Amino acid sequence: NEPQNEPQNEPQNEPQNETRLTVRQTKIVDLLKEEPSISKAHMAEKIGVSWMTVKRDIGKLVDLGLIRYVGPSRGGHWELTE
């Protein structure tokens, strides 16, 4: 038996903490770029999903640090952090 000289685990080229967004989350980010003061209800209407789905996806985007809401709950706007 010959000794095995090749590594058992090959290095991965992609970073482990790379953020992958769903198609719907990407649409939300695109809408926020176009209209930072858009409401969740209006986003839901444009994307064709429920208000609660948009709320959940926005929560994930906030948790990932990609967006934040600035200002009062009525009259504020969204900012992209990247």
Side-chain angles (χ1 to χ4, degrees), residues 28-80:
I28 290 172
V29 169
D30 290 342
L31 285 173
L32 295 176
K33 285 180 186 176
E34 293 173 20
E35 190 179 342
S37 60
I38 190 171
S39 69
K40 292 174 188 166
H42 197 186
M43 281 188 256
E45 185 180 308
K46 284 191 166 199
I47 297 172
V49 296
S50 72
W51 175 84
M52 185 54 75
T53 299
V54 170
K55 181 180 177 182
R56 185 172 46 249
D57 280 344
I58 284 179
K60 289 177 186 174
L61 293 169
V62 169
D63 289 345
L64 290 170
L66 299 176
I67 63 172
R68 67 176 177 211
Y69 195 78
V70 178
S73 57
R74 290 183 183 243
H77 64 276
W78 292 99
E79 288 183 351
L80 303 175

